[in-house]
Amino acid sequence: MLGLDAGGSCGGGVSSYVASIGGHLVLLDAWESVGVQEGTTPISREDLAALQAEAIFIGNGHFDHAADTGTVAGRTGAAVIAGQSVCDLARERSFSSGGAIDFPCLVLGSEGIPAPGTGQSILSSEIAVRSR
C-alpha cells in the first residue's frame, strides 16, 4: 500500500497500491500525498514513475485516486485504465508538465464501452492509443 488506509492519520480512506499480476507490475490509483496530507506516506511522483508499472487502474476521477496519473503515465508510457475524463485530464496534465501524451488509454465506464459481451486487453502493447 502506498497511501493511507481507512484508519490513516488524516481520517481519510485514501489508498494506492502497487501489485504484480501475472508478472505485470500495475498501480491501483496514482496519487502522491500533497497539501494537508503531505508527509503521510513516503512516496513521490518520481517514486511512482520509477516503479515502471505497465498499467495504472484508476478507481475514480477524484484527486486522491487520479491526480498523478498523467505524470506517471507521461514519464513511463504506462497504460491508463479509466474513464474518458480521467484519460483526457491525465494527458492534459502530462502535457503541461512536459511529459508525453501518447500513452495508451483503455476507456472503461462510458456508455457502450466496452460493448456488452466483449473484452478488452489491458496489455499496453495491445491498447489502441487514442488521440486528444
Side-chain angles (χ1 to χ4, degrees), residues 19 24-29 52-57 76-81 122-124 127:
H24 299 276
L25 191 66
V26 300
L27 292 177
L28 306 176
D29 293 335
Q52 293 293 311
E54 293 181 58
I56 307 168
F57 292 83
T76 65
V80 175
I81 295 88
I122 62 167
L123 299 178
S124 60
I127 298 172

Side-chain angles (χ1 to χ4, degrees), residues 17-76:
Y17 297 87
V18 60
S20 177
I21 302 172
H24 299 276
L25 191 66
V26 300
L27 292 177
L28 306 176
D29 293 335
W31 179 62
E32 169 195 9
S33 299
V34 294
V36 296
Q37 290 88 14
E38 189 170 4
T40 59
T41 183
I43 195 88
S44 69
R45 291 178 186 109
E46 291 74 27
D47 294 331
L48 290 173
L51 292 170
Q52 293 293 311
E54 293 181 58
I56 307 168
F57 292 83
I58 300 299
N60 66 57
H62 298 162
F63 76 95
D64 58 336
H65 294 262
D68 296 315
T69 304
T71 301
V72 175
R75 291 182 186 175
T76 65

